[in-house]
Amino acid sequence: MGSPAEAFDVIVPSFPGFGFSGPLPHHPDMNFWRVADLWHVLMTRTLGYDRYAAGGCDVGALVTGQLGHKYAAELHGIHIGSGLKLTLFNGDRGWDITGGHPLPDGPPEIRARAIEMERRFAVHLSAHLLEPSTLAYGLSDSPAGMLAWILHRWTRWSDDGGDIETVFSRDDLLTHAMIYWVGNSIGTSIRTYANNNRYPWTPSHDRWPVVEAPTGITFVGYENPPGVTTGQRVEHFAASDRGGWYNHVNLTAHDRGGHFVPWEIPQEWVADLRRTFRGRR
């Protein structure tokens, strides 16, 4: 239990185009940096907060990073589940997680890890960025097809040891899938990825670090880069070209946990987030 003095309101908006916030007939160009603008309006004008903190993972980490970049003066801080550059989807090969570089020729275990991670994400990014509408028609027409597509991501991206129900209950999985189905939002969720590339991110200022808001990051072992252990993860990130992008104040690495950090290891995520925001009000 935390101290009452450290309590804060929790606002959980539904990501536009995903789940409850879809479809988007009047906003076909929605992407992560436009979502950041919407959420800033929500927090400051609609809900009336003078300052606030933000957290997110996956594409939500890019939204949160953009808030920490464009609106740093109005944020207490941010906490994210990765330390990606906001230029992630920019360029002609925004779907290529290698950034166009060949796979390493080093030790076999490092090359195998690089191949495994590329296979984990490559089809998702390439299909969503290059053929979003074609895929959306099929998944919107077939509940079995939609469930298969989503379930494949949950099973391959989570730290489940080959048994998805050790991480997520069957009820949780079916509930999340049903939200996509009844809201018919699978197509708009896919299009968001393409829009991240079609309407690329551009900086709001040229100051350094790019993300000026105090930043906490939770790293998980299942997404350790090739050749990097959990014990090395923080140092590896801080020394990388991505590390310099953020005003990081709280970097933590956990052996357990996969891509869906708040869903998979909620207690660790909340503890890390509280540590980032503590004393910043």
Side-chain angles (χ1 to χ4, degrees), residues 136-278:
Y137 281 120
L139 300 187
S140 297
D141 190 58
S142 169
M146 190 204 71
L147 179 61
W149 188 259
I150 296 176
L151 191 60
H152 188 263
R153 275 101 196 104
W154 288 336
T155 55
R156 292 295 300 276
W157 297 1
S158 63
D159 186 11
D160 60 22
D163 183 356
I164 187 63
E165 291 188 61
T166 63
V167 179
F168 311 126
S169 72
R170 188 170 300 187
D171 281 347
D172 279 345
L173 296 171
L174 291 175
T175 298
H176 277 71
M178 184 60 72
I179 291 171
Y180 275 96
W181 181 251
V182 299
N184 192 27
S185 58
I186 191 68
T188 48
S189 72
I190 291 171
R191 190 169 65 225
T192 298
Y193 286 80
N195 286 344
N196 290 336
N197 181 251
R198 291 169 180 165
Y199 309 99
W201 177 83
T202 56
S204 298
H205 60 77
D206 59 2
R207 298 185 295 275
W208 202 260
V210 178
V211 179
E212 296 177 304
T215 301
I217 306 177
T218 295
F219 299 107
V220 290
Y222 192 62
E223 295 199 331
N224 285 340
V228 178
T229 67
T230 301
Q232 299 167 333
R233 186 73 183 275
V234 168
E235 183 179 357
H236 178 268
F237 172 79
S240 72
D241 61 344
R242 294 180 296 122
W245 266 59
Y246 290 88
N247 174 22
H248 40 83
V249 297
N250 176 34
L251 304 180
T252 310
H254 301 278
D255 281 321
R256 191 170 63 90
H259 191 73
F260 309 99
V261 182
W263 196 9
E264 295 188 52
I265 52 170
Q267 292 183 340
E268 290 88 341
W269 167 262
V270 170
D272 293 348
L273 181 146
R274 282 185 176 275
R275 194 161 53 249
T276 296
F277 296 159
R278 186 173 292 135

Side-chain angles (χ1 to χ4, degrees), residues 8-240:
F8 47 83
D9 298 334
V10 178
I11 311 298
V12 187
S14 181
F15 199 109
F18 289 69
F20 297 108
S21 295
L24 300 171
H26 304 299
H27 300 280
D29 58 352
M30 189 61 64
N31 61 9
F32 80 85
W33 53 264
R34 286 191 167 99
V35 172
D37 289 338
L38 286 177
W39 284 359
H40 185 67
V41 169
L42 170 69
M43 295 302 296
T44 58
R45 299 184 197 172
T46 305
L47 298 179
Y49 291 92
D50 294 328
R51 298 182 71 197
Y52 62 97
C57 289
D58 193 76
V59 179
L62 294 176
V63 174
T64 304
Q66 171 66 358
L67 289 170
H69 164 71
K70 187 174 181 179
Y71 302 107
E74 296 169 84
L75 266 70
H76 297 293
I78 65 172
H79 193 87
I80 55 180
S82 59
L84 300 172
K85 293 181 178 180
L86 300 178
T87 54
L88 176 67
F89 289 106
N90 287 20
D92 295 333
R93 297 176 64 88
W95 47 270
D96 184 358
I97 66 170
T98 70
H101 298 293
L103 292 172
D105 291 325
E109 64 274 12
I110 293 181
R111 181 176 175 82
R113 172 67 170 172
I115 292 173
E116 187 274 327
M117 295 194 75
E118 185 175 52
R119 287 178 175 171
R120 193 188 302 175
F121 296 108
V123 68
H124 180 85
L125 293 176
S126 59
H128 283 214
L129 265 69
L130 301 178
E131 291 287 348
S133 296
T134 305
L135 180 63
Y137 281 120
L139 300 187
S140 297
D141 190 58
S142 169
M146 190 204 71
L147 179 61
W149 188 259
I150 296 176
L151 191 60
H152 188 263
R153 275 101 196 104
W154 288 336
T155 55
R156 292 295 300 276
W157 297 1
S158 63
D159 186 11
D160 60 22
D163 183 356
I164 187 63
E165 291 188 61
T166 63
V167 179
F168 311 126
S169 72
R170 188 170 300 187
D171 281 347
D172 279 345
L173 296 171
L174 291 175
T175 298
H176 277 71
M178 184 60 72
I179 291 171
Y180 275 96
W181 181 251
V182 299
N184 192 27
S185 58
I186 191 68
T188 48
S189 72
I190 291 171
R191 190 169 65 225
T192 298
Y193 286 80
N195 286 344
N196 290 336
N197 181 251
R198 291 169 180 165
Y199 309 99
W201 177 83
T202 56
S204 298
H205 60 77
D206 59 2
R207 298 185 295 275
W208 202 260
V210 178
V211 179
E212 296 177 304
T215 301
I217 306 177
T218 295
F219 299 107
V220 290
Y222 192 62
E223 295 199 331
N224 285 340
V228 178
T229 67
T230 301
Q232 299 167 333
R233 186 73 183 275
V234 168
E235 183 179 357
H236 178 268
F237 172 79
S240 72

